[in-house]
Amino acid sequence: MGSAIEYNRRDIFKRAAAITVLAAGGGSLLAACAGGTGSSSGGGSASPGGGSASNPFGVKASDPLDVVIFKGGYGDDYAKAFEAIYTKDYPGAKISHLGTTDIAGKLQPRFNAGSPPDVVDNSGASQLKLDVLAKNGQLTELTPLLDAPYLDDPTKKVRDVLLPGTLDAGTIDGKVWSLNYVYTVFGLWYSNKLFQEKGWTPPKTWDDFMTLSATIKASGIAPFAHQGKYPYYANYTLMDLIAKQGGMDLFKRLDACDPTAYDDPAVKAGVSAFYEIMDKDYLLPGTNGMTHTESQTAWCQGKAAFIPCGSWLENEMIKITPADFDMAFLPVPSLAGDKMPPNTLRAGAGEPFIVPKQAKNNAGGLEFLRIMLTKGASGQFASAANSLTVLKDGVGADVVLKPGTKSSSAALTAAGTNTFYYTYPDIQTEFDTALQAATADLCAKRIGPDQWIAQAKAAAAKVKPA
Amino acid sequence: MRHRKYPFIVGFLFLPVLLYTVLVIWPYIQTFGYSLTDWSGVSPTMNFVGFKNYTALLHDDVFMTALGHNLLLIILLPLVTIVLALFFAFMLNVGGRGGTGGIQGVRGAGFYKVVFFFPQVLSVAILAVLFEAVYRTDGGGLLNGILIKLGLENAQQPILWLSDPDLVFWCILAVLIWSGVGFYLVMFSAAMQSIPKDIYEAALLDGSGRSQTFFKITIPLLWDTIQTAWVYLAIAAMDAFALVSTMTPPAGIYGGGPNHRSEVLATYLMRNFLPFGKAGYACAMGVVIFFITLILSVVSLRVTRRERIEY
């Protein structure tokens, strides 16, 4: 009850805000008419043709810029550095910066009132769903940005300097709606120091992994922990086992929520392999009910050997990780008969940056993204947030990488073009939620592999073609 | 003089009524409107779809599960909370056995009152954090830690409290009760103190015990207060959003798990409203919740109506 009322109260405020905005906008229009000097920034549509080569979007230096950043694993200090670069180019711009974990709570009312910010890092657990935003015409299509000249080298276009696969995650029906800025690598993580002390070799195959797990368990450490209350982390292992077993073709069908894909024997093989962890009791006690912080902390304390995560892990746990932990990355080990090569891994661009369609300083928003992709900004990000960006060779020699980042970027280099990236979590929220529930049940041994497959298939069948 | 009265009253009422209409009534009406559309929640555009959202609700298993949980809460939460609060309030105010026949609470009643009221000063957010630590699933959790120390639980197979489908609902209910008892204890205490002492003294002289004074004097004289408490708690039971969404898995999408076993209407509403982008559908749920709460309040006030005892 409470929530329903709250949201409606909020509605009223939204409306009030909208009226204020309209009134204010009208005022400035009137002023523009009268004096002819007012900056009419209320138009809201990008004008890619209206700018010069150095200013392709036609940014007005005096227009304020409104930036909202998800303050999660990467913090928001990096964005402040970008804003400093922006003000250097456009000194008149007043920048308002908001770092928050509650993206939806802060922005949903603003979208409804038609006054969204100019740039949003739409990430985290309460992100606004890209599919929902795009379908409702709330986003600026980013092609003008991709075709704009690259800031560091104007002979190139912005799209030429991105790592392969960068745009996949932000593309729906052939249109690019978000620029995913952080290149994330997914797999298993361990402490190199612990492994060397104990004389363990990181496993290459799933059989090695299970054998090693037996050794690890015998030494009194839990072989595997996952982020129980957030079951999607477990899917980084489970769904990757399936993808590597089934090959690119099956991966594409799975990602497209094709229910028949779950009849493929590769799915059964992957789920059964993953289920062995539970079956042989290799889970950290209590991990099924832990938050990501609790289980990752337990892992940092050496209570568990492996944990599945994306490459934001190192920065997220930086305050808790022991100095000599020597974090290392491992692609999900390969099963016998895998169709993808053993070094294949899930990698793709995360941290989706969007420019709302109705943003007041739409051009400034696009320019902000263009600045983010310069080598300078990319290096700032790498050193502030300990992660790689989507910019090709985005980290200069002057930037010192932490061991985990170094390890994951080496794995990425080894993988070469053998990468895949599931987009269903970004664009099929309901399916993803159902899949997470099934995986949580599997991890708690409430269901077996066959029931997991049946539940996943049923969830896929419910997805209406977008 | 008389004709001046109305402008005076209207003058005083105008602003509050206007504010109430704009901030409370009008949003309700808007929700009714939105519930007939396919509004996504992130855009000002929407289409009229009639009662499609409501018919879909009838076939939505998760919605029905959530409704079931809320109805169970409506029965259990007021019942347990009121019984506990009444018992404690009685013990603290008239339960003591004064040697000289005076009516008083058990020894240390003042201290207990503070202790019992303490949960009431905590915000829901603190409650959630506190009980996440209590229910933590490894040996670091309060409950599991104690159970493991006592040897009642295998440290390798700890109880997964909030992630166990059979326990999660009861865990949440326990927190709701824990946080509610203190307030109603104070409320019942205040009501009990307004009962004239001579009634109790007369009863004591006639040789009635604790239970007789409780059932034959305290309860009938407190009936109005109990009735109010019941309606309040029933409305709270229709909500339970904050605790369920923050404490239960899957985290980040308003909880309700595992397997919707702690789902309540409000969490399912929010999941449809924001992550699923089905705001129209969510509004239909909001309307259903509104009517259930309304009917519930009216019914419980009617059913529990008794002749008022004056003293």
Side-chain angles (χ1 to χ4, degrees), chain B:
Chain B
M1 269 322 266
R2 211 181 144 73
H3 64 280
R4 291 246 181 124
K5 197 169 110 190
Y6 290 105
F8 181 74
I9 293 175
V10 169
F12 263 96
L13 279 184
F14 177 72
L15 195 64
V17 167
L18 181 81
L19 280 174
Y20 189 78
T21 313
V22 170
L23 294 176
V24 180
I25 308 284
W26 176 237
Y28 269 114
I29 296 169
Q30 275 189 314
T31 309
F32 286 83
Y34 287 141
S35 74
L36 302 175
T37 68
D38 63 353
W39 183 39
S40 70
V42 292
S43 127
T45 55
M46 59 192 89
N47 302 305
F48 182 77
V49 294
F51 284 94
K52 207 176 126 219
N53 287 329
Y54 290 94
T55 49
L57 274 182
L58 291 175
H59 303 287
D60 189 331
D61 291 341
V62 180
F63 179 76
M64 289 298 164
T65 311
L67 186 60
H69 285 148
N70 274 118
L71 295 180
L72 198 58
L73 277 180
I74 282 169
I75 296 163
L76 292 178
L77 180 65
L79 193 71
V80 181
T81 311
I82 289 175
V83 167
L84 283 176
L86 265 179
F87 173 73
F88 289 139
F90 181 76
M91 293 309 280
L92 292 185
N93 288 290
V94 289
R97 287 274 110 149
T100 54
I103 298 303
Q104 61 185 47
V106 293
R107 198 173 299 161
F111 174 70
Y112 288 130
K113 263 184 212 171
V114 174
V115 171
F116 282 130
F117 192 70
F118 182 65
Q120 197 57 40
V121 304
L122 301 178
S123 77
V124 186
I126 296 173
L127 264 188
V129 174
L130 196 69
F131 274 89
E132 281 197 322
V134 170
Y135 289 132
R136 210 185 133 128
T137 49
D138 60 1
L142 182 68
L143 284 175
N144 279 337
I146 291 173
L147 288 174
I148 290 170
K149 284 262 155 51
L150 291 177
L152 295 172
E153 183 181 305
N154 177 1
Q156 294 306 307
Q157 301 289 336
I159 299 173
L160 295 179
W161 306 107
L162 294 166
S163 295
D164 185 321
D166 296 329
L167 291 178
V168 62
F169 179 79
W170 307 107
C171 289
I172 294 290
L173 180 64
V175 181
L176 284 171
I177 292 168
W178 185 85
S179 63
V181 166
F183 176 78
Y184 293 98
L185 177 145
V186 171
M187 186 164 134
F188 292 146
S189 287
M192 275 180 199
Q193 268 153 16
S194 70
I195 300 174
K197 285 241 157 76
D198 16 335
I199 299 182
Y200 283 111
E201 277 162 10
L204 279 178
L205 285 177
D206 289 345
S208 61
R210 272 197 187 117
S211 62
Q212 268 175 315
T213 39
F214 181 71
F215 286 109
K216 300 228 164 104
I217 297 174
T218 312
I219 300 263
L221 289 176
L222 283 184
W223 196 252
D224 278 355
T225 320
I226 296 175
Q227 199 186 23
T228 313
W230 194 283
V231 174
Y232 263 66
L233 281 162
I235 292 173
M238 279 307 289
D239 182 0
F241 170 77
L243 283 182
V244 174
S245 66
T246 48
M247 291 175 67
T248 61
I253 32 179
Y254 302 105
N259 254 338
H260 305 294
R261 292 294 281 274
S262 63
E263 198 79 73
V264 291
L265 294 171
T267 53
Y268 190 53
L269 183 156
M270 276 307 285
R271 199 170 314 123
N272 277 282
F273 189 67
L274 282 178
F276 293 175
K278 292 182 178 172
Y281 191 49
C283 285
M285 285 182 216
V287 170
V288 171
I289 297 172
F290 167 74
F291 277 112
I292 294 175
T293 316
L294 191 71
I295 292 165
L296 197 87
S297 310
V298 172
V299 166
S300 54
L301 280 173
R302 292 255 151 177
V303 168
T304 56
R305 187 150 66 182
R306 282 197 185 180
E307 203 155 314
R308 201 191 164 104
I309 301 165
E310 300 203 6
Y311 42 84

Side-chain angles (χ1 to χ4, degrees), chain A residues 1 5 7-9 11-12 15 108 112 125 129 132 136 138 229-230 281 285-286 288-290 430 433 441 446, chain B residues 26-28 31 34 39-43 132 137-138 157 163 165 247 250-251 258-259 273-276 278 293:
Chain A
M1 190 79 224
I5 300 174
Y7 271 86
N8 288 309
R9 280 184 190 145
D11 244 12
I12 285 302
R15 260 152 240 234
Q108 206 242 6
N112 277 309
K129 292 301 171 177
V132 176
N136 285 283
Q138 292 292 315
K229 279 197 178 179
Y230 296 84
D281 227 1
N288 281 327
M290 288 184 178
E430 276 194 79
T433 309
D441 279 352
R446 287 192 288 269
Chain B
W26 176 237
Y28 269 114
T31 309
Y34 287 141
W39 183 39
S40 70
V42 292
S43 127
E132 281 197 322
T137 49
D138 60 1
Q157 301 289 336
S163 295
M247 291 175 67
N259 254 338
F273 189 67
L274 282 178
F276 293 175
K278 292 182 178 172
T293 316

Side-chain angles (χ1 to χ4, degrees), chain A residues 224-228 230-231 233-234 283 287-288 290-291 295 307-308 443:
Chain A
F224 194 83
H226 76 109
Q227 293 82 338
Y230 296 84
Y233 288 85
L283 281 187
T287 191
N288 281 327
M290 288 184 178
T291 64
S295 63
I307 197 162
C443 291

